[in-house]
Amino acid sequence: MKRFRTRVKRLGSLAVETFHDIIPEDGLPEQASGDLRRDQRRHEPIAAHDFVDAAGPLLPYQKAADKDVFGELTFPLGDEVAGEAINSLARFSHGLDEDHRLLLSADANQIFGSGGDLNEHGRVKAAEALVRLERHGHLASLDRHVMVQAVMKRPELGRLLEERRRVVESENGHASSPVANGQARGGNPPLSLDEHIDRLEKQRHAAKTALVYTEQGRLDLRQSIAEEIPKLSKDARADLMASFRDDRVR
């Protein structure tokens, strides 16, 4: 149990520190990507939703006040940028508190039901966010009602929702399975759980201090750390349960 608590404490501290490393001090940039993958725009400014994608896996480890950085994403961002960021945040809605989910749903509905071209980038992304929240069971009945009312006033919005549902379903169906934590790399022996945590702590320090990284490179490294922390937390709990089972057998 003591070893488990030590691991959880280290991972929790690393999650909080990495989250604050990722989020720009002056807020999310007013920059959209136009749906281009980040590896195809390496020489362009980092878009707002890139920071959300990187920090999203760490939301369950943050205090409510720290999650406020994503509150009311439509202000001061424009609809195009906000729609992208809202859609990215909807991927990680399990890490949000109920109040933050309600803000997220309200912002998505505001952009989704606004006037203008049906295929505006921000509206498309807001529709996708609503689909994700619905799939996660995080779309409150009132927000669902607002969404339905928007479709009743403008039926083509219903077709947009169905299109984005197919996109999200296809995305989930083709998700690649993660590499096992303990798998050997390049012929090296697999790392222990504690060695994995050591490695992430060193990577976090390198991303913060090493001069060799570009801004894009730092975000890449921090995102990889953020994605590994939940996996290692799960492994720590599995190791704890295994030790309980071993104790019962003895």
Side-chain angles (χ1 to χ4, degrees):
M1 178 62 77
K2 182 178 179 181
R3 183 170 61 175
F4 171 74
R5 287 175 178 166
T6 299
R7 289 169 171 171
V8 168
K9 184 176 180 180
R10 289 177 70 191
L11 287 169
S13 296
L14 183 60
V16 170
E17 291 164 350
T18 304
F19 182 86
H20 287 286
D21 289 344
I22 290 171
I23 303 301
E25 291 184 3
D26 53 353
L28 298 177
E30 296 186 26
Q31 174 75 22
S33 71
D35 249 1
L36 282 176
R37 292 170 52 93
R38 195 149 67 87
D39 58 8
Q40 296 173 344
R41 48 187 169 87
R42 303 297 287 184
H43 300 295
E44 297 179 15
I46 299 174
H49 73 96
D50 293 323
F51 292 105
V52 181
D53 285 338
L58 302 176
L59 282 168
Y61 303 88
Q62 310 307 312
K63 296 178 181 177
D66 292 320
K67 299 176 188 181
D68 286 343
V69 68
F70 294 134
E72 299 185 50
L73 278 170
T74 53
F75 180 81
L77 305 177
D79 284 357
E80 182 178 10
V81 181
E84 284 190 335
I86 286 168
N87 182 44
S88 287
L89 191 54
R91 290 188 173 95
F92 306 103
S93 60
H94 66 280
L96 294 172
D97 301 332
E98 185 176 357
D99 288 348
H100 293 108
R101 290 174 188 159
L102 291 173
L103 282 172
L104 184 65
S105 302
D107 287 346
N109 265 321
Q110 180 179 345
I111 297 174
F112 175 67
S114 62
D117 182 5
L118 177 69
N119 295 313
E120 286 177 345
H121 186 65
R123 188 195 318 282
V124 171
K125 291 302 174 183
E128 199 166 307
L130 290 169
V131 169
R132 294 184 192 282
L133 291 168
E134 189 176 51
R135 286 174 63 89
H136 296 166
H138 294 158
L139 190 62
S141 57
L142 177 59
D143 293 307
R144 185 177 289 106
H145 175 73
V146 173
M147 181 180 72
V148 171
Q149 287 294 106
V151 171
M152 290 178 67
K153 291 178 182 177
R154 192 176 177 184
E156 59 265 35
L157 290 177
R159 294 193 291 274
L160 176 60
L161 278 176
E162 288 306 313
E163 173 194 308
R164 303 327 292 176
R165 283 193 179 100
R166 289 193 293 271
V167 168
V168 172
E169 288 169 3
S170 173
E171 175 184 288
N172 292 340
H174 293 86
S176 57
S177 57
V179 177
N181 250 335
Q183 183 173 332
R185 299 179 181 179
N188 295 325
L191 297 177
S192 70
L193 183 53
D194 294 309
E195 288 171 333
H196 268 291
I197 299 173
D198 289 341
R199 177 175 58 84
L200 293 189
E201 289 172 338
K202 291 175 182 175
Q203 287 179 341
R204 187 251 164 183
H205 180 73
K208 193 172 182 67
T209 61
L211 299 178
V212 296
Y213 290 106
T214 63
E215 186 181 7
Q216 292 271 10
R218 291 185 198 282
L219 187 61
D220 286 342
L221 184 53
R222 287 165 176 163
Q223 183 166 355
S224 71
I225 294 169
E227 290 170 349
E228 283 204 59
I229 287 173
K231 299 173 188 175
L232 293 179
S233 296
K234 185 177 179 181
D235 288 348
R237 290 182 177 85
D239 187 69
L240 176 66
M241 296 307 297
S243 68
F244 284 156
R245 287 193 296 270
D246 291 342
D247 288 344
R248 291 194 190 103
V249 171
R250 291 172 190 165

